Amino acid sequence: MFRGVGRFAVHRPWLTIAGWIIAAVALAMLAPGLKSTTDETEFLPSHYESVQVGNLTQKAFPQTEQPTAIGVFQRSDGGKLSETDKRDVAKVTSGLDAKHRPKIAKVVTNEQAVSPNGEIALANVYPTTKNSFDDALPDSVKALREDAKELLKGTQLKLGFTGPAAQALDSKDSSGDTDSMVMSATFLLIIVLLLVIFRSPLIAIMPVIIIGIVATVATGLIGTAAEVGGLKADASITAILIVVLFGVGTDYILFLLFRYREHLRAGQEPKQALVEAVARVGETIASAAGAVIAAFLALLLSTMGMMRAMGPSLAIAVAVTLVAALTLVPAVFSLLGRAAFWPSKAWKKTPRNRFANGVGDLVARRPGIVAVLSTAVLAVLAVGALSFKAEFDTSSQMPQKLESVQAMKDMQRGFSAGQSDPAMVYLKSKDGSRLKPAEIEAFRGKLEGIEGVTSPVAPAVANPDGSVAQYRVVLKYAPTSDEAIDLAGGDLRKTSHKAAPEGTEALVGGTSAVLADIEDAVGHDYRVVFPVAGVAIMVILGLLLRSLVAPWYLMIAVALGFGATLGSTVWLFQDYKGENGLLFMLPVIVYLFVVAIGTDYNILMVARLREEVRRGIPAREAVRTAVAQSTPTVSAAAIILAGTFGVLILADNSMLQQMGFAVGFGILLTAFIMAMLLVPTVTSLLGHKAWWPGHQDEPQGEAARSAEAGERIRA
C-alpha cells in the first residue's frame, strides 16, 4: 500500500502539490476560526458542584455584580492613608469611571474599601457582561492602567490593578513574548540543525514551508470540526498545536529524508529512492502517527472539556501531518531531485559517524550490561515522581514583577488574601418556597464558625422570590492557594451541606471551589485516560510488529521514561529550587509530548531492527546496523523537539520553565536512553521470543531463499 502511495506522489508531484495548496487556500478562506475560552467552569461536567453554582447564579442572581478587576491604592511611602489621600482615591476612581472603557460598567470605591490598618484602599471594576473572561476586559484594564498614570499626578498615591481580568492581561502579555520566542527558536533550530545535518539550504527551509502548509490545513479542519461539532478549545490550543505540528512533522520528514538519502547512496535514482523510502518507512510513520493519535484521542475520556477538546484537535493535526509525510514531502523532493542536496556532495557517500557506529557497537557487544544500566538510570530518576505535588496556584508561578501579582501582595497587607475573589455559598429551597429569615441567619452563623473563613460573613442577599440566599464568604487564603482549594472543597462544603436546614440544600462555588473540582477531575483522568492510552498504543505496536511480546516491554520502557521525566522535574523544581509544587497539568503535558510523541523513536528503532533481521544477517550484526542507521535520525529529531521546548526554561514564568524542562529533558531521555539503548538491547536479549507469535524476525525474500539453500546444502 505504502509503495503505491509513494509511487503516485513521486510520479505525479504537481498534482499532489496542487491538491495541498488548493486545500490550504480554501480552508484558510472558508474555515471558521478556532473558538477559545479560559473559563474553567465551561470545561467541567454538569454534575460538579461549582458548575451547578454557576447555573444557579445565572438564574437566581442575573444582576449579581462581581468585580472583574480591583484597583489597589496605597501611599508611595507605604504609610497610612490620610484624609487627603482618601479624597484623592475617590477623585482618581471617579476619573477612571468617567473614561467608560469598553465592557466596563463602573469603577467605584467607598469608605468600607479602606483596610483596617489604614494603609490600603480598593476600587472595584465591574463589567457590563456576566462573562468575566470576556476577551475585551483585559484590554480595558490595560487602558485603565494608562488612564491612572495621568490621574495620579499631583497625589501621594500609587495604584496597581489585580483580579481576574488584570491577571489574564499580565498572563497574556508575559506569554506573548514566550510564544514568539518559542516560534523563533523552533524555526532557528529546524533550519540550523537540518543545515548542519544535510548541508543544504533547500532541505533546511523546505520542512518549514511544508509544515506551514500542513498547519494551515490542520487548523482549518479543526476549526470546521469545532464549528460542526460544537467543540471548544482552550486558549492554549494554538500554541500547543504549533509545537505538535512542528515536532511531529519534523520527525516524520526526517524519517523519510534519512532513508531517501540512504537509498541514494546505495546507487538508486532519485524517484526510485523516494518510492523505496516511502515503502520502507511508510508503515513506521503510519504506526508512529497511529500511536500518537490514539494517545490524543484517549483524552476524549477526560472529564474536563479542555482535555476533550484538545484531544481530537491534536489528533486531526497529527493525521494531516501523516498524510503530508507520505504524499506532499515525496512530491516536493521528487521535483527537486538531487538538487535538494545542493551544494553538498555528502549524500554521495556514507560518512563515518563515530557516535552512531559507537552506539551500535556498544549495544551489539554488551546488550546485558547496557540494558541493566539504562534501566537503572530511568528507575532512579523515576523515584522522584513519588514526591510529585500538584500546584493549582498558577499566580505564584507567574513572574513576580507583574503588576497584578504585586498588587495582590499589596492588597493582602491590609485585607484578607481572599478579599479579591471570595467563595460563593448558596442556600436554596428545594421546593422553590421562600426561605425563612431565621434559617438564613442561622446558616450564616455556621459559615462564620468554619476555620479559615474571615469573620464576620456579610449578611446574605436573597433573590427576588426569596428561594435562594447568596453569601459572599471571604477566606483567609489566596483563592488559588492550596489552603483555599482544600477549604472550599473540604470543610466549607461539608459544613455547608450539613448545616443546610431541612428542605434546603447548600452549594459552594467560586474560584477556589472550581479548582477543587478540577483537582478531582484531573485525578479521575489520571486513573482512566493513561491506562486506556497505554492499551491503545500497545494494540498499534502489536499490529505493527505482529507480536504479543514486544508491545509489553516497549510500554514498560515508556512508563519508565514517563516516571523518569516527572521524577527529574520534581527533583529540580520541588527539591532543588524549593517550589511548593509543580503545575497540576504537568503529568498530562509529559504524557502528550514525551510518551505519545517519544514513542515514535521506539517504533522507528524496532521497525528498523526487524527490517535488518529479515535480511538474514546474524542477530548481533542486525542490532548494530539498526542502531547505527537509526541513531542519526532519532538524534536529530529529538534535539529539534527538545530544543524547541527547552527555550521555555528561559521564561520568567515558573510554570513555563517546568514545562520546558520536563518535555525537553523527557524527549532526550526517550531518544538517547530508551530508544537507542534500552529497547534494542532488550529486543536483542529476547531474540526470537520478542517476535512471538508472528515471528517477524524470519528472513524474507532473497534472504529467505539463501537460508533455505543453505539448509539444503547442510542436509
Side-chain angles (χ1 to χ4, degrees), residues 11-90:
H11 292 288
R12 293 177 177 80
W14 287 113
L15 180 61
T16 304
I17 295 171
W20 275 95
I21 293 176
I22 291 171
V25 172
L27 287 169
M29 295 176 60
L30 303 176
L34 289 177
K35 297 178 180 179
S36 64
T37 177
T38 53
D39 184 354
E40 298 295 350
T41 60
E42 294 189 23
F43 295 130
L44 289 170
S46 59
H47 67 269
Y48 280 97
E49 189 168 326
S50 59
V51 178
Q52 295 175 18
V53 165
N55 295 333
L56 178 62
T57 303
Q58 293 288 342
K59 294 178 181 178
F61 298 93
Q63 303 304 319
T64 295
E65 294 181 323
Q66 278 284 92
T68 189
I70 298 175
V72 182
F73 289 92
Q74 61 181 312
R75 282 183 60 87
S76 300
D77 58 11
K80 288 189 176 182
L81 298 170
S82 65
E83 291 303 317
T84 301
D85 294 330
K86 293 176 183 178
R87 287 193 293 271
D88 287 338
V89 168

Side-chain angles (χ1 to χ4, degrees), residues 49-50 52-53 56 424-430 435 443-444 446-447 450 467-469 471 488 491-509:
E49 189 168 326
S50 59
Q52 295 175 18
V53 165
L56 178 62
M424 304 301 293
V425 181
Y426 293 82
L427 186 64
K428 173 188 175 185
S429 171
K430 292 182 179 179
L435 296 170
F443 186 76
R444 182 166 76 98
K446 294 290 186 180
L447 295 177
I450 300 173
S467 63
V468 182
Y471 302 82
D491 288 347
L492 183 57
R493 271 185 176 158
K494 291 177 183 177
T495 303
S496 298
H497 295 168
K498 186 176 180 181
E502 186 176 352
T504 68
E505 64 175 331
L507 299 171
V508 178

Side-chain angles (χ1 to χ4, degrees), residues 30 68 75 122 181 237 288 341 414 425 461 482 485 506 576 593 601 608:
L30 303 176
T68 189
R75 282 183 60 87
L122 304 179
M181 180 174 61
I237 184 64
F341 297 93
V425 181
V461 176
D482 291 340
I485 295 170
Y576 178 72
F593 295 106
Y601 308 141
R608 185 58 188 258

